[in-house]
Amino acid sequence: MTEDRTCDQGLFGPRSVTWQAHGDPMMWVAGVRALYLQALHPRAVRGVLQNSDFRRDAWGWLMRTANFVGTTTYGTTEAAEKAGARVRKIHRMLSATDPDTGETYGVDEPELLLWVHCAEIDSYLHVLRRSGYPLTDPQADRYIAEHRVSGRLVGLDPDTVPADRAGMEAYFEKVRPELAVGPEAREVDDFLRRPPIHPLLIPAREGLWRRVARLAYASLPPYAHELYGRPAPRAAVVTRRLRVTGTLLRSVPARLRWQLPPKHILRAMDRLGPEARPAPYKVG
């Protein structure tokens, strides 16, 4: 008897917090915040810039990251596991060199993978909650715990990955002395503030993208602002802007938003039925 693959709910499934939360449009702002935060770890950001065409294909790099998150959230178990295996294989082949010491190290070092993972998950959770997405503290803990799975996909031992808000806070407190803004972080910052685009799209960059980038930067923790050396508005102002932006983006019909490629959510609903539709009220 063959397995019915049409019922495969994937690694998380419609009953998870992740399934509901990752359908929110504020994930795009959260993704930019994650890049700002990840760039603060010199060894981690060096590994990215020395092994990718980030300078000429930054948009492609961003979209591949978004596609990985979409696949692992809404794809079949097989698709998610294949995506993780592909990432692990690539990471095993890559190394970076510290220009000051000459040290060469693998980009798949557990401490580097953990930093990238925690910066990402913290950013998703922080921006969603601060912009008005309804998650209680226990649900936020559940979301972090669910992503021990995504940690495993990129090569981490799940037992080493924070499982709740307290664990995440303790991790960031521990790693903060290692953070700094070097030339690689400046390069990421410059790209996020002024990404190179076709001249015809410059008005869109000035009117839309820069607002997203500014909001993502403003939502960073105070120590990140200190390291980058650029101030941010008062916390209450940032929260208000996040809520306004969240309200505005969520007013766009979800079906319309989900039409954008690669349509992970729509494909998941086709596979599992309309009841699999992500929605904030289903989190509980």
Side-chain angles (χ1 to χ4, degrees), residues 230-249:
R230 288 192 286 119
R234 290 183 297 106
V237 173
V238 176
T239 300
R240 183 166 64 249
R241 291 178 181 173
L242 284 167
R243 286 185 172 270
V244 169
T245 302
T247 300
L248 178 64
L249 292 180

Side-chain angles (χ1 to χ4, degrees), residues 10 18 26 29 47 52 62 69 72 102-103 109 139 147 166 198 200:
T18 295
M26 288 298 286
V29 177
S52 71
L62 288 171
V69 174
T72 56
E103 175 200 7
E109 288 185 352
Q139 289 164 351
H147 281 278
H198 190 282
L200 293 177

Side-chain angles (χ1 to χ4, degrees), residues 15 18 50 74 89 91 101 156 159 258:
R15 297 179 65 86
T18 295
Q50 290 186 10
Y74 298 109
K89 180 180 179 181
H91 284 172
T101 66
L156 286 166
D159 290 338
W258 296 340

